[in-house]
Amino acid sequence: MSRMDASSTAASTIDWARVRADFPLLTRQVHGKPLIYFDSANTGQKPESVIEAVDDFYRRHNANVSRAVHALGTEATDAYEAARTKLGKFLNVRSDELVLCSGTTFALNLVAYSWALPRLQPGDAIVLTRMEHHANIVPWQLVAQRTGATIKVAELNERGELDLDQLYSLLTPEVKVLSLTHVSNVLGTVNPVREICREARRRGIVTAVDGSQAAPHRALDVAAIGCDFYAITGHKMCGPTGTGALWARREHLAAMPPFIGGGEMIKEVRFEGTVFNDPPHKFEAGTPNIAGFIGLGAAVDYLSSPGMANIEAREQELLAHATEELSKVPGLRIFGQARDRAAVISFLVEGAHAHDLATLLDLEGVAIRSGHHCAHPLMQHFGVPATCRASLAFYNTHDEVDAFVAALGKVRKLLG
Ligand code: PLP
């Protein structure tokens, strides 16, 4: 561990080397080299406590939730509901306004199909932004096709931030919903969602925020953001895959019809008609990913131990170091220079294809992502088919950044 990893700022009261040791996967080698995992925006690594929570559920408590009165059934239900409570505290929302679901993709589809589809009409408009993940574009396109609504796009300035004047100029009376990401998965841009949601609300526009890339990096106060819907995904915040949640204002949950029908989401079923369960259970048909949510509860506990403020400070140190070192690499272009950024760096090196760079870096043990990052419209904006993306987390180190930059220098020469 370098001197910088035991360094001197706020985040340094935490022993980050010990934190890193909680992640068993980070000790492995890839192609004979120590793994440097810089793909946390894609999915985060899991600490021992999350792995153990999932393991313990299957070894000692496995039963279905909300169905059986036997001891195991009660244990499973209690643990599942405890995860909802923890997540509610983590986001600062009421847990009975949290719909547990498979992740952001499901959560945003739930908003699109259950809230928007019955409401939008020809002449209505939906506002999205240039930096959205496909999960926050395609559901709206499907709804627009079925309702006759149109989609308007908020564009970016030269730093890769939202052009707020242009965004606000789009918020005209026909706009019924604005759906935007809190943090860009490609540029790391942190959008001022609180201000944006306030402006939308003043105009009577409903807001949905994709928090996939915010929840792993920042202390969140969803209630203070003032949005109508907020979506998160568990696997990016140290939790298991197939877990996530949609927070929605109570009045929306009460008014929205169920999205998927089946068991768990009903009070009574007759062939003449069904009485649905109360929210949030009305939106949770079928057997959920019980072990996954128990793991997500453990992830929330885990993140709360250093605390999100320390995690953010740690990641900002790593981001500053990585940005400085990368800017010394000849021919390297970083996409997005937002004033408020999470630890995500998209880049290209002159004369090298993104996939070639990522493939050669993998041989050096460095895992980064290359491609369009499920953000085609953003790639179109920059006029490139793909970028490389290094995304860092608090469990990374300054030494890893240095090793990554050295490896990049090596593969750049090979490709040049
Ligand atoms: N939105 C953003 C900004 C993302 O980065 C991702 C995942 O990459 C998603 C949505 C999709 O989330 P999920 O994996 O839960 O489907």
Side-chain angles (χ1 to χ4, degrees), residues 41-43 102-108 131-136 181-186 210-214 231-236 242-244 369 373-374 389:
N42 208 350
T43 195
S102 61
T104 300
T105 300
F106 187 97
L108 293 170
M131 67 173 83
E132 298 312 313
H133 186 283
H134 297 160
N136 198 26
T181 194
H182 194 161
V183 176
S184 163
N185 64 314
V186 181
D210 172 351
S212 307
Q213 299 289 348
I232 60 144
T233 197
H235 70 96
K236 296 186 199 289
T243 64
R369 183 165 174 198
H373 316 295
C374 299
R389 182 186 69 183

